[in-house]
Amino acid sequence: IPAGKPLPVEPEDQNIDEKQTYTCTFSIECSSILNNLSDLVPEKLDVLPKNGVIFPAQTVTFYEGESVFDVLQRICRKNNIHMEASWTPIYNSAYVEGIHNLYEFDCGSGSGWMYRVSELRMQPVPVIPGRYCGVAVYLRSGCGYRWSLRNQS
């Protein structure tokens, strides 16, 4: 764990302070699939947004101690966006299986949900945890968080 970063915590030990609020930019999209429609499971064409945007980039509030996964869950619940994830105890993290009824492998054997963190200057930081969304990945005020369904086949 890099110096100055919080240590991982078990979900039941997570301490969220709703008195300390911050903001970040958050979005959910699947636009890369639009260039790979031949790989998409045909039954999923009806749920694919025409522009690839499920939740457009917006400023959202988060609380001290919340993780990227916490905010994803809240945004999906609040906006009636279907989201399914499973808990992976060995990694102490959640695996996002599907958002907006688009699931891993729906666009090829290597497709799945990932997220990217952008700094204030909007330069990408390679914080894309391959497959898992660690609950210890805390948000930083002013950053951007973009969830994307990627075709990696």
Side-chain angles (χ1 to χ4, degrees):
I1 297 174
K5 300 295 179 191
L7 295 173
V9 295
E10 297 298 324
E12 62 272 10
D13 297 331
Q14 190 175 11
N15 185 17
I16 296 173
D17 182 358
E18 293 187 4
K19 293 176 187 157
Q20 292 288 338
T21 61
Y22 305 96
T23 60
C24 65
T25 303
F26 211 92
S27 64
I28 306 170
E29 58 92 19
C30 57
S31 58
S32 70
I33 303 308
L34 299 175
N35 296 326
N36 299 289
L37 290 177
S38 62
D39 293 337
L40 186 65
V41 175
E43 302 83 49
K44 297 297 181 155
L45 281 171
D46 290 340
V47 299
L48 184 68
K50 300 272 185 260
N51 64 355
V53 177
I54 296 166
F55 181 80
Q58 296 178 36
T59 300
V60 298
T61 299
F62 67 94
Y63 306 107
E64 181 74 34
E66 279 194 304
S67 70
V68 174
F69 185 66
D70 293 326
V71 176
L72 175 66
Q73 285 184 301
R74 185 171 58 249
I75 285 172
C76 287
R77 265 193 315 272
K78 183 177 178 182
N79 293 278
N80 295 314
I81 299 169
H82 171 79
M83 194 270 289
E84 187 172 341
S86 56
W87 184 249
T88 309
I90 193 167
Y91 295 112
N92 192 29
S93 61
Y95 178 74
V96 176
E97 298 169 21
I99 300 174
H100 193 68
N101 289 305
L102 294 167
Y103 284 80
E104 58 182 339
F105 313 129
D106 278 351
C107 197
S109 62
S111 66
W113 286 96
M114 298 184 287
Y115 70 94
R116 178 175 301 273
V117 180
S118 298
E119 297 289 341
L120 285 169
R121 294 179 291 300
M122 299 310 287
Q123 296 177 359
V125 176
V127 182
I128 302 177
R131 298 191 201 337
Y132 297 96
C133 176
V135 294
V137 179
Y138 295 102
L139 293 106
R140 290 179 287 171
S141 188
C143 289
Y145 297 84
R146 182 180 69 204
W147 281 89
S148 302
L149 180 63
R150 295 291 182 201
N151 180 4
Q152 302 283 322
S153 54

